[in-house]
Amino acid sequence: MSKKTEVNQGERTIIGKIVGTHGVNGTMLILPLTDYPDRFFDMEELVLENPGKPGIVLKVRRIAPYVGKGTFFLQAEGVKDKEQAELYRGSVITVSDDDRVELPDDEYWIDDMIGLSVVEFGTERELGTLEEIMFTGSNDVYMVKSPEGTLKPLPAIGEVINKVDIEAGTITVSIPEGLWD
């Protein structure tokens, strides 16, 4: 079996999930849950976690793309057959927050944005708190929980989102006329 080293849980970010097995030799399938799936090719170890259980470390023997499927094949040391591989199905792959990919300017981690105070440009009036980010395909939509408790949408486009300031804990916005009427 694989090396079952407990992992210091701390602050960790999910980057993938073991979603199945392939064949009978212990190959597992990784579904990337990251905007940077190529990061898997440089990883020598994977930290797998399941709710209520300590995280474990798997040493990577091989990771390769499953062409056309949006997943990766994973072969890990000590996982030699399908039955062993099935034990890891449903596990999430995490990295420490220190190992997250460095983002370009004007891009932010979702978990850093959730909970920020949303304020109106010019008036500095507090409009609510960023509760959720929806991915629509064309542009993201920020769902803002108003002081009254209702969720209101804001398109995440340059004309609406003026400034994100993680350190100050604010997002400054210009609401298009009629959007929240």
Side-chain angles (χ1 to χ4, degrees):
M1 235 12 205
S2 62
K3 179 181 170 189
K4 292 206 175 199
T5 304
E6 269 192 47
V7 176
N8 176 5
Q9 300 299 82
E11 293 294 319
R12 301 192 62 81
T13 300
I14 296 171
I15 63 165
K17 184 174 185 175
I18 305 294
V19 293
T21 62
H22 185 80
V24 295
N25 68 350
T27 300
M28 295 171 269
L29 294 174
I30 297 173
L31 174 66
L33 300 173
T34 173
D35 289 336
Y36 305 96
D38 288 349
R39 72 180 302 145
F40 285 105
F41 297 125
D42 297 325
M43 298 178 80
E44 296 176 1
E45 296 180 333
L46 299 178
V47 176
L48 303 184
E49 296 186 39
N50 287 294
K53 297 181 181 175
I56 62 165
V57 176
L58 284 183
K59 292 216 176 273
V60 173
R61 282 192 1 235
R62 179 175 175 261
I63 292 181
Y66 191 171
V67 178
K69 301 292 184 181
T71 57
F72 294 100
F73 294 116
L74 165 65
Q75 294 174 331
E77 286 183 14
V79 181
K80 302 204 183 308
D81 59 39
K82 183 176 182 168
E83 290 73 30
Q84 289 176 325
E86 279 292 338
L87 297 174
Y88 299 107
R89 183 192 293 261
S91 298
V92 294
I93 301 165
T94 66
V95 294
S96 70
D97 282 356
D98 292 339
D99 290 331
R100 295 196 296 190
V101 172
E102 190 72 29
L103 295 177
D105 290 343
D106 295 332
E107 287 189 25
Y108 307 94
W109 295 108
I110 292 171
D111 55 337
D112 288 341
M113 292 181 66
I114 299 297
L116 293 181
S117 178
V118 178
V119 296
E120 187 173 38
F121 177 75
T123 68
E124 301 305 314
R125 177 174 60 110
E126 186 167 340
L127 302 171
T129 304
L130 182 61
E131 185 82 9
E132 177 183 356
I133 298 176
M134 297 173 50
F135 307 100
T136 64
S138 58
N139 59 266
D140 296 345
V141 176
Y142 294 175
M143 298 302 292
V144 178
K145 188 172 190 175
S146 72
E148 296 79 35
T150 59
L151 283 178
K152 297 183 175 188
L154 276 180
I157 57 177
E159 296 82 31
V160 175
I161 308 302
N162 301 109
K163 182 178 180 184
V164 176
D165 189 337
I166 301 294
E167 276 75 39
T170 60
I171 301 173
T172 305
V173 302
S174 296
I175 299 178
E177 189 174 326
L179 181 65
W180 283 7
D181 292 342

